[in-house]
Amino acid sequence: GPVTVGGNQSTLYGDLTGSGSHFTLSQLYAVGNINTNGTIKFTGGRVIGNITSNSHGVELTSTEVMGTLWSHTNVVFNSATMTGFVTSNSGTITSSNSQIKGDLTAQSGMSFTGGSLAGHLLQKAANVVSLSNVNMTSGSIKGASTVNLSGSSLGSSAQKVEVKTESGNITLTNKTVLYGDAIAVENATWARVNIESGSMVYGRCHYEAVPPQACQPAPPPPSVHHYELSYQSPAVTCEAEPVTVKSC
């Protein structure tokens, strides 16, 4: 039968295990692994351990997981924090305003809106990967059929992110910036890197960049827009006062 945890915060030191049980967990602080063949829905709380659904899916809302996550079908993150590896064996990974710091593997596609990523994204089958308003600080995107990037920032001048498709185009829109290589179907001569709406790629574009001038080999040197001074005002004594100068 099902397992339900609700109300104020509960604490579990140990594993929570079911056979076909569906878990609905709210405000649970768990130090141990959570494993079942049923669905797992977790709202609030924290898990220091691994989460596994052997036959169904996992949905995390406002939950922090300090471990890995394995799901047979779909994985959904809503304002969650995930620090370990995430695997959807046969489904999709969908994320909204979440902080994901580990590698992700999916079968049927990935979609991220808001939040941040810091890991390698791997599609086992050629399906779409989409990022909208996402800050991806490191990692790579590989195995996707096509990749759509909107209003997102990927990599930096010191940390490159490689984006590679298997059967379609890479499209950057809404002032997306990619530091790294954009490879649209390597060894093909028909796929394109479409760079639109003020977006830029600082790296190599393969095979064809449209427009080509939006793919540059290196980022321009940074310039200072303005300076900010931080100090206590008004001064209450004649003693020296610390002043912080920040270039923006």
Side-chain angles (χ1 to χ4, degrees):
V3 175
T4 302
V5 176
N8 294 327
Q9 179 174 299
S10 301
T11 303
L12 170 65
Y13 292 96
D15 296 340
L16 179 59
T17 304
S19 55
S21 303
H22 298 304
F23 292 170
T24 303
L25 312 173
S26 178
Q27 302 301 326
L28 173 65
Y29 178 85
V31 182
N33 300 320
I34 298 175
N35 189 314
T36 184
N37 289 331
T39 59
I40 300 174
K41 292 186 177 181
F42 210 124
T43 301
R46 187 182 189 192
V47 179
I48 302 177
N50 303 325
I51 296 178
T52 303
S53 175
N54 295 296
S55 300
H56 288 80
V58 177
E59 181 177 344
L60 303 180
T61 301
S62 301
T63 303
E64 181 179 6
V65 178
M66 307 285 288
T68 64
L69 189 156
W70 194 97
S71 171
H72 181 66
T73 58
N74 298 336
V75 177
V76 178
F77 296 105
N78 296 308
S79 301
T81 300
M82 183 75 211
T83 61
F85 296 161
V86 178
T87 301
S88 171
N89 185 57
S90 62
T92 63
I93 296 176
T94 305
S95 173
S96 175
N97 298 318
S98 297
Q99 317 303 314
I100 303 175
K101 303 176 183 178
D103 296 347
L104 298 98
T105 302
Q107 177 78 17
S108 302
M110 301 187 195
S111 178
F112 304 89
T113 302
S116 64
L117 296 170
H120 299 284
L121 279 59
L122 175 62
Q123 272 291 133
K124 293 191 297 181
N127 286 295
V128 178
V129 172
S130 298
L131 275 64
S132 178
N133 299 313
V134 173
N135 180 24
M136 186 173 182
T137 57
S138 61
S140 62
I141 302 175
K142 296 182 179 180
S145 57
T146 60
V147 174
N148 299 318
L149 307 171
S150 174
S152 298
S153 174
L154 292 84
S156 64
S157 57
Q159 186 72 55
K160 307 297 185 182
V161 170
E162 183 182 74
V163 178
K164 185 177 180 180
T165 59
E166 297 297 323
S167 58
N169 295 341
I170 299 173
T171 301
L172 294 79
T173 61
N174 195 21
K175 298 183 179 179
T176 292
V177 177
L178 168 63
Y179 291 87
D181 295 339
I183 304 171
V185 192
E186 196 158 25
N187 300 321
T189 59
W190 48 266
R192 290 184 175 182
V193 180
N194 296 314
I195 308 172
E196 305 170 1
S197 306
S199 301
M200 291 294 297
V201 174
Y202 295 111
R204 180 171 67 102
C205 292
H206 178 91
Y207 167 73
E208 181 182 4
V210 181
Q213 64 270 21
C215 192
Q216 300 171 348
S223 60
V224 177
H225 182 270
H226 65 276
Y227 294 93
E228 291 182 359
L229 303 181
S230 300
Y231 55 90
Q232 183 178 350
S233 178
V236 295
T237 70
C238 294
E239 298 296 325
E241 178 70 23
V243 176
T244 300
V245 181
K246 179 182 178 182
S247 62
C248 303

